[in-house]
PDB file of all heavy atoms in Angstrom:
ATOM      1  N   GLY A 246     -19.744 -41.484   0.866  1.00 77.00           N
ATOM      2  CA  GLY A 246     -21.083 -41.948   1.068  1.00 77.00           C
ATOM      3  C   GLY A 246     -21.948 -40.739   0.955  1.00 77.00           C
ATOM      4  O   GLY A 246     -21.727 -39.861   0.103  1.00 77.00           O
ATOM      5  N   PHE A 247     -22.961 -40.610   1.776  1.00 73.00           N
ATOM      6  CA  PHE A 247     -23.811 -39.447   1.688  1.00 73.00           C
ATOM      7  C   PHE A 247     -23.997 -38.841   3.047  1.00 73.00           C
ATOM      8  O   PHE A 247     -24.952 -38.132   3.326  1.00 73.00           O
ATOM      9  CB  PHE A 247     -25.167 -39.787   1.098  1.00 73.00           C
ATOM     10  CG  PHE A 247     -25.073 -40.107  -0.382  1.00 73.00           C
ATOM     11  CD1 PHE A 247     -24.996 -41.395  -0.758  1.00 73.00           C
ATOM     12  CD2 PHE A 247     -24.978 -39.093  -1.322  1.00 73.00           C
ATOM     13  CE1 PHE A 247     -24.861 -41.698  -2.157  1.00 73.00           C
ATOM     14  CE2 PHE A 247     -24.791 -39.369  -2.658  1.00 73.00           C
ATOM     15  CZ  PHE A 247     -24.737 -40.690  -3.046  1.00 73.00           C
ATOM     16  N   THR A 248     -23.045 -39.112   4.008  1.00 75.00           N
ATOM     17  CA  THR A 248     -23.262 -38.623   5.309  1.00 75.00           C
ATOM     18  C   THR A 248     -22.210 -37.674   5.819  1.00 75.00           C
ATOM     19  O   THR A 248     -22.366 -37.027   6.698  1.00 75.00           O
ATOM     20  CB  THR A 248     -23.345 -39.806   6.317  1.00 75.00           C
ATOM     21  OG1 THR A 248     -22.167 -40.578   6.149  1.00 75.00           O
ATOM     22  CG2 THR A 248     -24.563 -40.670   6.020  1.00 75.00           C
ATOM     23  N   ASN A 249     -21.064 -37.634   5.150  1.00 86.00           N
ATOM     24  CA  ASN A 249     -20.072 -36.775   5.620  1.00 86.00           C
ATOM     25  C   ASN A 249     -19.455 -35.904   4.471  1.00 86.00           C
ATOM     26  O   ASN A 249     -18.398 -36.215   3.961  1.00 86.00           O
ATOM     27  CB  ASN A 249     -19.011 -37.442   6.440  1.00 86.00           C
ATOM     28  CG  ASN A 249     -18.264 -38.535   5.716  1.00 86.00           C
ATOM     29  OD1 ASN A 249     -18.917 -39.294   4.978  1.00 86.00           O
ATOM     30  ND2 ASN A 249     -17.004 -38.632   5.914  1.00 86.00           N
ATOM     31  N   GLU A 250     -20.225 -34.939   4.035  1.00 93.00           N
ATOM     32  CA  GLU A 250     -19.678 -33.978   3.068  1.00 93.00           C
ATOM     33  C   GLU A 250     -18.527 -33.219   3.714  1.00 93.00           C
ATOM     34  O   GLU A 250     -18.621 -32.812   4.880  1.00 93.00           O
ATOM     35  CB  GLU A 250     -20.777 -33.005   2.626  1.00 93.00           C
ATOM     36  CG  GLU A 250     -21.854 -33.612   1.785  1.00 93.00           C
ATOM     37  CD  GLU A 250     -23.041 -33.991   2.546  1.00 93.00           C
ATOM     38  OE1 GLU A 250     -22.950 -34.109   3.781  1.00 93.00           O
ATOM     39  OE2 GLU A 250     -24.183 -34.143   1.926  1.00 93.00           O
ATOM     40  N   VAL A 251     -17.568 -32.967   2.864  1.00 95.00           N
ATOM     41  CA  VAL A 251     -16.412 -32.068   3.338  1.00 95.00           C
ATOM     42  C   VAL A 251     -16.280 -31.056   2.249  1.00 95.00           C
ATOM     43  O   VAL A 251     -15.899 -31.351   1.074  1.00 95.00           O
ATOM     44  CB  VAL A 251     -15.111 -32.916   3.452  1.00 95.00           C
ATOM     45  CG1 VAL A 251     -13.992 -31.988   3.851  1.00 95.00           C
ATOM     46  CG2 VAL A 251     -15.307 -34.015   4.507  1.00 95.00           C
ATOM     47  N   GLU A 252     -16.579 -29.886   2.604  1.00 96.00           N
ATOM     48  CA  GLU A 252     -16.434 -28.750   1.613  1.00 96.00           C
ATOM     49  C   GLU A 252     -15.010 -28.200   1.657  1.00 96.00           C
ATOM     50  O   GLU A 252     -14.513 -27.963   2.773  1.00 96.00           O
ATOM     51  CB  GLU A 252     -17.433 -27.630   1.914  1.00 96.00           C
ATOM     52  CG  GLU A 252     -17.529 -26.644   0.769  1.00 96.00           C
ATOM     53  CD  GLU A 252     -18.549 -25.547   1.063  1.00 96.00           C
ATOM     54  OE1 GLU A 252     -18.854 -25.306   2.253  1.00 96.00           O
ATOM     55  OE2 GLU A 252     -18.988 -24.936   0.082  1.00 96.00           O
ATOM     56  N   LEU A 253     -14.424 -28.106   0.483  1.00 97.00           N
ATOM     57  CA  LEU A 253     -12.979 -27.746   0.444  1.00 97.00           C
ATOM     58  C   LEU A 253     -12.781 -26.621  -0.564  1.00 97.00           C
ATOM     59  O   LEU A 253     -13.530 -26.359  -1.456  1.00 97.00           O
ATOM     60  CB  LEU A 253     -12.157 -28.972   0.026  1.00 97.00           C
ATOM     61  CG  LEU A 253     -12.027 -30.111   1.015  1.00 97.00           C
ATOM     62  CD1 LEU A 253     -11.479 -31.386   0.323  1.00 97.00           C
ATOM     63  CD2 LEU A 253     -11.194 -29.728   2.183  1.00 97.00           C
ATOM     64  N   PRO A 254     -11.620 -25.905  -0.409  1.00 97.00           N
ATOM     65  CA  PRO A 254     -11.268 -24.954  -1.457  1.00 97.00           C
ATOM     66  C   PRO A 254     -10.541 -25.657  -2.628  1.00 97.00           C
ATOM     67  O   PRO A 254      -9.475 -26.222  -2.367  1.00 97.00           O
ATOM     68  CB  PRO A 254     -10.316 -24.038  -0.719  1.00 97.00           C
ATOM     69  CG  PRO A 254     -10.116 -24.500   0.679  1.00 97.00           C
ATOM     70  CD  PRO A 254     -10.698 -25.887   0.699  1.00 97.00           C
ATOM     71  N   GLU A 255     -11.170 -25.724  -3.699  1.00 96.00           N
ATOM     72  CA  GLU A 255     -10.567 -26.407  -4.840  1.00 96.00           C
ATOM     73  C   GLU A 255      -9.386 -25.602  -5.320  1.00 96.00           C
ATOM     74  O   GLU A 255      -9.515 -24.373  -5.632  1.00 96.00           O
ATOM     75  CB  GLU A 255     -11.581 -26.503  -5.985  1.00 96.00           C
ATOM     76  CG  GLU A 255     -10.998 -27.126  -7.262  1.00 96.00           C
ATOM     77  CD  GLU A 255     -11.966 -27.065  -8.438  1.00 96.00           C
ATOM     78  OE1 GLU A 255     -13.149 -26.768  -8.208  1.00 96.00           O
ATOM     79  OE2 GLU A 255     -11.486 -27.283  -9.586  1.00 96.00           O
ATOM     80  N   PRO A 256      -8.195 -26.174  -5.362  1.00 97.00           N
ATOM     81  CA  PRO A 256      -7.034 -25.416  -5.821  1.00 97.00           C
ATOM     82  C   PRO A 256      -7.095 -25.109  -7.300  1.00 97.00           C
ATOM     83  O   PRO A 256      -7.270 -26.041  -8.126  1.00 97.00           O
ATOM     84  CB  PRO A 256      -5.848 -26.357  -5.472  1.00 97.00           C
ATOM     85  CG  PRO A 256      -6.416 -27.696  -5.438  1.00 97.00           C
ATOM     86  CD  PRO A 256      -7.862 -27.592  -5.038  1.00 97.00           C
ATOM     87  N   ILE A 257      -6.866 -23.922  -7.664  1.00 97.00           N
ATOM     88  CA  ILE A 257      -6.933 -23.516  -9.119  1.00 97.00           C
ATOM     89  C   ILE A 257      -5.586 -23.039  -9.509  1.00 97.00           C
ATOM     90  O   ILE A 257      -5.058 -22.009  -8.997  1.00 97.00           O
ATOM     91  CB  ILE A 257      -8.013 -22.466  -9.330  1.00 97.00           C
ATOM     92  CG1 ILE A 257      -9.392 -23.001  -9.019  1.00 97.00           C
ATOM     93  CG2 ILE A 257      -7.923 -21.907 -10.733  1.00 97.00           C
ATOM     94  CD1 ILE A 257     -10.499 -21.938  -9.081  1.00 97.00           C
ATOM     95  N   GLU A 258      -4.980 -23.723 -10.406  1.00 97.00           N
ATOM     96  CA  GLU A 258      -3.775 -23.287 -11.052  1.00 97.00           C
ATOM     97  C   GLU A 258      -3.927 -23.656 -12.586  1.00 97.00           C
ATOM     98  O   GLU A 258      -3.467 -24.690 -13.010  1.00 97.00           O
ATOM     99  CB  GLU A 258      -2.549 -23.984 -10.508  1.00 97.00           C
ATOM    100  CG  GLU A 258      -2.090 -23.426  -9.174  1.00 97.00           C
ATOM    101  CD  GLU A 258      -1.605 -21.937  -9.258  1.00 97.00           C
ATOM    102  OE1 GLU A 258      -1.121 -21.568 -10.358  1.00 97.00           O
ATOM    103  OE2 GLU A 258      -1.755 -21.238  -8.282  1.00 97.00           O
ATOM    104  N   TYR A 259      -4.670 -22.842 -13.267  1.00 98.00           N
ATOM    105  CA  TYR A 259      -4.946 -23.079 -14.675  1.00 98.00           C
ATOM    106  C   TYR A 259      -4.077 -22.126 -15.587  1.00 98.00           C
ATOM    107  O   TYR A 259      -3.904 -21.026 -15.263  1.00 98.00           O
ATOM    108  CB  TYR A 259      -6.368 -22.762 -14.999  1.00 98.00           C
ATOM    109  CG  TYR A 259      -7.494 -23.489 -14.265  1.00 98.00           C
ATOM    110  CD1 TYR A 259      -8.787 -23.036 -14.208  1.00 98.00           C
ATOM    111  CD2 TYR A 259      -7.234 -24.718 -13.711  1.00 98.00           C
ATOM    112  CE1 TYR A 259      -9.822 -23.673 -13.505  1.00 98.00           C
ATOM    113  CE2 TYR A 259      -8.232 -25.398 -12.999  1.00 98.00           C
ATOM    114  CZ  TYR A 259      -9.512 -24.888 -12.922  1.00 98.00           C
ATOM    115  OH  TYR A 259     -10.511 -25.535 -12.255  1.00 98.00           O
ATOM    116  N   HIS A 260      -3.663 -22.770 -16.638  1.00 98.00           N
ATOM    117  CA  HIS A 260      -3.030 -21.953 -17.737  1.00 98.00           C
ATOM    118  C   HIS A 260      -3.811 -22.187 -18.997  1.00 98.00           C
ATOM    119  O   HIS A 260      -4.022 -23.337 -19.406  1.00 98.00           O
ATOM    120  CB  HIS A 260      -1.555 -22.343 -17.925  1.00 98.00           C
ATOM    121  CG  HIS A 260      -0.667 -21.638 -17.055  1.00 98.00           C
ATOM    122  ND1 HIS A 260      -0.196 -20.370 -17.242  1.00 98.00           N
ATOM    123  CD2 HIS A 260      -0.093 -22.058 -15.833  1.00 98.00           C
ATOM    124  CE1 HIS A 260       0.622 -20.022 -16.251  1.00 98.00           C
ATOM    125  NE2 HIS A 260       0.697 -21.065 -15.412  1.00 98.00           N
ATOM    126  N   THR A 261      -4.294 -21.143 -19.594  1.00 98.00           N
ATOM    127  CA  THR A 261      -5.021 -21.271 -20.862  1.00 98.00           C
ATOM    128  C   THR A 261      -4.270 -20.463 -21.929  1.00 98.00           C
ATOM    129  O   THR A 261      -4.148 -19.201 -21.758  1.00 98.00           O
ATOM    130  CB  THR A 261      -6.406 -20.771 -20.760  1.00 98.00           C
ATOM    131  OG1 THR A 261      -7.055 -21.366 -19.616  1.00 98.00           O
ATOM    132  CG2 THR A 261      -7.261 -21.089 -21.997  1.00 98.00           C
ATOM    133  N   ARG A 262      -3.785 -21.118 -22.910  1.00 98.00           N
ATOM    134  CA  ARG A 262      -3.004 -20.487 -23.935  1.00 98.00           C
ATOM    135  C   ARG A 262      -3.784 -20.519 -25.260  1.00 98.00           C
ATOM    136  O   ARG A 262      -4.213 -21.580 -25.681  1.00 98.00           O
ATOM    137  CB  ARG A 262      -1.643 -21.126 -24.110  1.00 98.00           C
ATOM    138  CG  ARG A 262      -0.788 -21.077 -22.848  1.00 98.00           C
ATOM    139  CD  ARG A 262       0.484 -21.818 -22.961  1.00 98.00           C
ATOM    140  NE  ARG A 262       1.277 -21.821 -21.698  1.00 98.00           N
ATOM    141  CZ  ARG A 262       1.117 -22.668 -20.712  1.00 98.00           C
ATOM    142  NH1 ARG A 262       0.236 -23.666 -20.807  1.00 98.00           N
ATOM    143  NH2 ARG A 262       1.845 -22.550 -19.615  1.00 98.00           N
ATOM    144  N   ASP A 263      -3.914 -19.356 -25.873  1.00 98.00           N
ATOM    145  CA  ASP A 263      -4.742 -19.264 -27.086  1.00 98.00           C
ATOM    146  C   ASP A 263      -3.790 -18.710 -28.228  1.00 98.00           C
ATOM    147  O   ASP A 263      -3.056 -17.816 -28.036  1.00 98.00           O
ATOM    148  CB  ASP A 263      -5.867 -18.246 -26.928  1.00 98.00           C
ATOM    149  CG  ASP A 263      -7.025 -18.809 -26.160  1.00 98.00           C
ATOM    150  OD1 ASP A 263      -7.877 -19.480 -26.807  1.00 98.00           O
ATOM    151  OD2 ASP A 263      -7.065 -18.659 -24.895  1.00 98.00           O
ATOM    152  N   LEU A 264      -3.943 -19.346 -29.356  1.00 98.00           N
ATOM    153  CA  LEU A 264      -3.259 -18.885 -30.572  1.00 98.00           C
ATOM    154  C   LEU A 264      -4.356 -18.683 -31.649  1.00 98.00           C
ATOM    155  O   LEU A 264      -5.056 -19.672 -31.990  1.00 98.00           O
ATOM    156  CB  LEU A 264      -2.206 -19.869 -31.026  1.00 98.00           C
ATOM    157  CG  LEU A 264      -1.506 -19.514 -32.374  1.00 98.00           C
ATOM    158  CD1 LEU A 264      -0.758 -18.205 -32.246  1.00 98.00           C
ATOM    159  CD2 LEU A 264      -0.604 -20.630 -32.805  1.00 98.00           C
TER     160      LEU A 264
END
Side-chain angles (χ1 to χ4, degrees):
Chain A
F247 291 98
T248 54
N249 58 320
E250 288 97 340
V251 179
E252 192 179 21
L253 291 168
E255 177 189 346
I257 295 176
E258 282 297 330
Y259 298 161
H260 275 280
T261 308
R262 300 174 180 89
D263 282 275
L264 175 65

